[in-house]
């Protein structure tokens, strides 16, 4: 048991280290001297050299790599070339948009997906079931950014219930903030909800065939009670796993959705910094995104190993 | 098997949609109602009419012509990106399977695990910004992420096949390992690869649309559904139909390939129907 957790932890740390090396290495070999980019075309070689020294760009590569890694623990990730503010502060500020957005989206995805999936399973092979599963198939095919645009068309431009984009900031009130995040979160949630609905249906159908369901009905529980107390609970293991594994799609989904709705979040920041060759910001952001995904996947593997000892030896979940 | 396939609703609908998209894409090579790059500012943002079936965009270009050329673009992305993943991935997966447990196998599978941990869209954005935006680079970026998918599936399926008696018989008969892989293993894992290819095809179309929407995929004047959606957003209030058609086209194409994949899975592996 301990050995399994330790092994998985070592794998995680190794993968994170390799990822950090790759990301750092790639930003190193990229063309363009950041100092020269910052100062523009008219800069003299002397001023460029002075700025390089100021930014710490003339230190040996290994020193800069270790300083960068250390920065994740001390909170000093350097200064953004484009925004001229500390990267850590920039990320913390943008996280105030992206974290609630991702949270709201997973909330929508799980509540919609699990409810509809359970409904479809409880009416298996009925018209309701076929309709719901056809809907899930369509939900999987619709690009989330198009769904976002359609909702803007209907609910922002047509009905005027929500803003078409932008974010007022949390200081203008919780309600205004949530209103600005509602449509983006719904757009982000659509494909996830479709996946979860399909999976929940399968998992519930499987659980419905178990003996304990017959026992529950025999002792006098209604179909609804059995579904809620026994079936759903058993069906939730694969569903929760899938939610965690989909975290990666949710996180990268924010990059496009934040662009659709002009939200000042991490996703938009990463896109803008990549476009502006703001490499200091890019490498830390990419590391954070990749790190989050790797940590979540590792946690899923570990909890699964805790639940089902057979999985402690193979290649892990979902492979 | 063909009989069973033709009675499977998901397969039939998926195949019909896919064939339709394919025919439209082929048609677009030879004929479009208007020149999709012809700019006519005097006829900008027109609603659908007899001359411009789906209306015109902000430069007066014919939306229907752009849309059917977009189908060609989407299929091109799917074919090449999935092709890259299939050819390299399957080769790697089968090599890994023949040396199961060896250092080479470990190495290949570790690199696959590692690539999987990188969020695809994020990495594609990075690749495209530094290779430069454009269709070819977008296809390469999407193709790279298909490699570990196929490598893993090919390895798993090949291992199952290689445990069979007829492989031992072939080996006893003196066949070389490459010969066994080509003659016995590959034909037996084709089914599962085709199913996955169909799903990856849909994902590739979605990915290209997303990248082009962000402005780093297909570049003008080549029409792309994703880019058309991006353009449409500026004129959403004046010309809402501009946002409807390209998105519906993406959804339809993706739906077709997904349903085809679902159907093929059931048809090629009847056991999955029992669920």
């Amino acid at each position: 048991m301990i050995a399994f957790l330790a092994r998985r932890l070592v794998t995680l740390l190794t993968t994170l280290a390799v990822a950090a090396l790759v990301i750092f290495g790639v930003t190193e070999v990229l063309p363009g001297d950041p100092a020269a980019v910052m100062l523009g075309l008219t800069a003299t070689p002397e001023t460029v050299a002075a700025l390089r020294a100021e930014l710490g760009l003339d230190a040996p590569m290994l020193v800069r790599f270790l300083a960068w890694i250390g920065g994740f623990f001390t909170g000093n990730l350097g200064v953004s070339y484009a925004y001229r503010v500390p990267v850590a502060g920039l990320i913390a500020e943008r996280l105030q948009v992206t974290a609630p957005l991702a949270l709201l989206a997973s909330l929508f995805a799980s509540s919609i997906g699990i409810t509809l999936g359970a409904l479809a399973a409880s009416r298996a092979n009925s018209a309701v079931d076929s309709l719901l599963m056809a809907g899930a198939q369509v939900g999987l095919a619709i690009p989330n950014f198009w769904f976002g645009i359609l909702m803007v068309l209907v609910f922002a431009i047509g009905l005027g219930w929500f803003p078409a984009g932008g974010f007022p900031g949390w200081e203008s009130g919780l309600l205004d903030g949530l209103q600005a995040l509602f449509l983006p979160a719904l757009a982000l949630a659509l494909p996830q909800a479709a996946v979860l609905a399909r999976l929940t249906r399968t998992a519930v159908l499987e659980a419905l065939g178990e003996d304990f369901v017959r026992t529950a009905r025999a002792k006098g529980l209604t179909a609804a009670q059995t579904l809620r107390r026994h079936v759903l609970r058993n069906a939730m293991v694969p569903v929760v796993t899938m939610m965690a594994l989909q975290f990666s799609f949710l996180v990268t989904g924010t990059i496009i959705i934040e662009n659709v709705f002009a939200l000042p979040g991490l996703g938009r920041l990463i896109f803008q910094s990549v476009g502006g060759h703001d490499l200091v910001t890019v490498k830390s952001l990419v590391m954070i995104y990749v790190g989050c995904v790797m940590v979540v996947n590792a946690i899923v593997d570990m909890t699964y190993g805790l639940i089902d000892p057979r999985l402690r030896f193979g290649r892990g979940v979902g492979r | 098997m063909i009989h069973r396939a033709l009675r499977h609703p998901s397969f039939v609908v998926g195949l019909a949609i896919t064939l339709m998209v394919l025919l439209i894409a082929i048609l677009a090579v030879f004929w479009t109602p208007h020149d999709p790059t012809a700019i006519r500012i005097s006829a900008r943002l027109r609603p659908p009419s007899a001359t411009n079936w789906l209306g015109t965009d902000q430069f007066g270009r014919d939306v229907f012509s752009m849309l059917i050329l977009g189908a060609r673009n989407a299929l091109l992305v799917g074919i090449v990106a999935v092709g890259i993943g299939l050819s390299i991935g399957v080769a790697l997966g089968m090599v890994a399977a023949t040396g199961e447990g060896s250092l080479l196998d470990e190495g290949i599978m570790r690199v696959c695990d590692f690539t999987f941990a990188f969020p695809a869209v994020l990495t594609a954005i990075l690749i495209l910004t530094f290779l430069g935006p454009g269709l070819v680079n977008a296809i390469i970026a999407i193709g790279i992420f298909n490699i570990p998918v196929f490598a893993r599936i090919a390895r798993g399926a090949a291992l199952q096949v290689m445990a069979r008696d007829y492989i031992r018989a072939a080996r006893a008969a003196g066949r070389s390992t490459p010969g066994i892989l080509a003659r016995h293993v590959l034909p037996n894992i084709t089914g599962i690869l085709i199913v996955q290819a169909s799903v990856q095809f849909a994902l590739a179309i979605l990915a290209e649309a997303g990248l082009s929407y962000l402005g780093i995929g297909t570049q003008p004047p080549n029409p792309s559904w994703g880019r058309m959606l991006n353009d449409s957003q500026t004129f959403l209030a004046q010309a809402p139909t501009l946002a409807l058609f390209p998105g519906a086209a993406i959804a339809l194409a993706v739906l077709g390939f997904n349903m085809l994949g679902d159907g093929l899975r059931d048809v090629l592996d009847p056991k999955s129907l029992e669920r």
Side-chain angles (χ1 to χ4, degrees):
Chain A
M1 184 62 252
I2 302 283
F4 160 71
L5 289 182
R7 206 166 52 228
R8 194 61 189 81
L9 207 61
V10 169
T11 313
L12 171 66
L13 290 178
T14 326
T15 329
L16 282 174
V18 176
L21 271 173
V22 169
I23 293 167
F24 184 82
V26 169
T27 49
E28 276 302 301
V29 299
L30 285 173
D33 179 357
V37 171
M38 273 178 91
L39 291 170
L41 291 171
T42 52
T44 62
E46 291 77 35
T47 46
V48 172
L51 187 64
R52 281 182 65 87
E54 192 194 318
L55 292 171
L57 288 173
D58 48 2
M61 202 185 281
L62 185 67
V63 173
R64 280 180 292 126
F65 177 69
L66 292 177
W68 176 54
I69 297 298
F72 282 102
F73 300 98
T74 59
N76 176 17
L77 293 172
V79 175
S80 156
Y81 304 155
Y83 296 87
R84 313 280 166 123
V85 292
V87 173
L90 201 59
I91 291 175
E93 185 194 315
R94 300 299 187 100
L95 207 54
Q96 291 178 9
V97 176
T98 302
L101 173 65
L103 202 69
L104 206 57
S106 15
L107 206 69
F108 285 155
S110 50
S111 51
I112 298 171
I114 294 174
T115 313
L116 295 184
L119 182 67
S122 67
R123 314 253 159 93
N125 301 320
S126 70
V128 177
D129 181 25
S130 314
L131 204 68
L132 283 173
M133 284 305 109
Q137 187 71 268
V138 172
L140 274 181
I142 290 179
N144 55 11
F145 55 94
W146 182 50
F147 188 56
I149 296 173
L150 289 185
M151 285 197 298
V152 166
L153 200 56
V154 176
F155 297 109
I157 296 177
L159 297 167
W161 292 352
F162 295 97
F167 188 72
W170 292 111
E171 55 282 354
S172 70
L174 185 67
L175 209 64
D176 282 359
L178 286 179
Q179 202 182 18
L181 293 183
F182 188 86
L183 292 185
L186 210 55
L188 206 51
L190 173 80
Q192 322 283 337
V195 171
L196 288 179
R198 280 161 64 120
L199 188 71
T200 305
R201 179 182 179 275
T202 314
V204 166
L205 279 182
E206 233 157 66
L208 275 175
E210 301 279 347
D211 287 338
F212 59 75
V213 173
R214 207 180 322 143
T215 313
R217 292 303 302 275
K219 76 176 185 187
L221 291 187
T222 64
Q225 282 171 326
T226 316
L227 187 70
R228 210 170 47 239
R229 290 196 206 160
H230 297 280
V231 175
L232 268 182
R233 233 178 240 198
N234 277 286
M236 277 307 102
V237 179
V239 174
V240 170
T241 312
M242 180 55 92
M243 281 170 65
L245 290 176
Q246 279 196 312
F247 179 76
S248 147
F249 291 101
L250 196 71
V251 161
T252 44
T254 59
I255 299 176
I256 293 186
I257 290 296
E258 283 176 8
N259 271 292
V260 175
F261 289 91
L263 294 174
L266 281 184
R268 204 165 156 77
L269 178 64
I270 202 167
F271 186 63
Q272 286 165 340
S273 336
V274 162
H277 278 252
D278 187 357
L279 295 183
V280 181
T281 314
V282 169
K283 68 179 175 196
S284 296
L285 270 177
V286 173
M287 191 60 218
I288 288 173
Y289 267 90
V290 171
C292 279
V293 171
M294 287 178 175
V295 168
V296 167
N297 285 351
I299 292 174
V300 174
D301 270 6
M302 287 192 220
T303 22
Y304 233 65
L306 289 178
I307 297 169
D308 188 344
R310 282 170 303 180
L311 292 172
R312 282 177 210 167
F313 306 95
R315 301 193 67 86
V317 181
R319 316 229 157 124
Chain B
M1 181 139 70
I2 292 171
H3 192 64
R4 195 166 64 217
L6 291 178
R7 278 186 313 174
H8 193 286
S10 182
F11 177 82
V12 174
V13 175
L15 187 69
I17 296 176
T18 316
L19 283 180
M20 192 187 77
V21 175
L22 186 70
L23 284 178
I24 289 175
I26 294 173
L27 172 78
V29 176
F30 303 105
W31 176 84
T32 49
H34 297 269
D35 177 359
T37 55
I39 292 176
R40 285 187 310 144
I41 296 296
S42 59
R44 67 194 294 266
L45 299 177
R46 290 259 171 90
S49 67
T51 35
N52 301 103
W53 297 344
L54 300 181
T56 61
D57 74 350
Q58 71 274 23
F59 298 120
R61 292 176 296 191
D62 181 50
V63 171
F64 182 72
S65 302
M66 291 170 75
L67 210 61
I68 62 176
L69 262 184
R72 196 188 69 180
N73 189 59
L75 286 190
L76 183 73
V77 171
I79 291 169
V80 182
V82 173
I84 292 175
L86 257 179
S87 50
I88 304 179
V90 172
L92 284 177
M94 295 217 306
V95 167
T98 49
E100 194 201 355
S102 70
L103 214 61
L104 186 65
D105 177 30
E106 268 300 303
I108 292 175
M109 293 329 284
R110 281 280 156 262
V111 173
C112 284
D113 286 352
F114 184 72
T115 323
F116 254 170
F118 270 83
V121 174
L122 175 64
T123 318
I125 290 174
L126 292 180
I127 292 176
L128 283 174
T129 323
F130 298 124
L131 286 184
L135 179 63
V136 175
N137 291 342
I139 293 176
I140 294 174
I142 299 167
I144 289 176
F145 283 92
N146 276 319
I147 297 174
V149 175
F150 286 108
R152 239 180 217 175
I153 289 181
R155 178 181 178 275
L159 280 178
Q160 271 179 3
V161 172
M162 290 195 310
R164 300 278 171 81
D165 284 339
Y166 58 78
I167 300 293
R168 213 177 313 156
R171 198 157 281 156
R175 278 211 190 280
S176 64
T177 307
I180 292 176
L181 285 179
R183 271 194 151 211
H184 300 286
V185 178
L186 194 58
N188 279 301
I189 64 173
T190 314
I192 192 168
L193 291 176
I194 292 175
V195 171
Q196 192 64 38
S198 184
V199 174
Q200 295 304 123
F201 209 105
L203 288 176
I205 292 177
L206 273 179
E208 192 276 333
L211 293 173
S212 293
Y213 173 79
L214 288 174
I216 50 181
T218 311
Q219 296 300 307
N222 291 328
S224 148
W225 293 336
R227 182 166 268 284
M228 288 170 78
L229 274 180
N230 188 350
D231 290 345
S232 80
Q233 246 189 312
T234 324
F235 308 96
L236 209 49
Q238 300 154 267
T241 53
L242 281 184
L244 289 182
F245 301 122
I250 301 170
L252 194 69
V254 173
L255 185 71
F257 281 102
N258 274 341
M259 290 183 79
L260 189 66
D262 276 6
L264 278 172
R265 179 173 308 140
D266 292 346
V267 173
L268 294 173
D269 177 20
K271 265 177 287 177
S272 67
L273 267 183
E274 287 163 17
R275 286 193 190 177

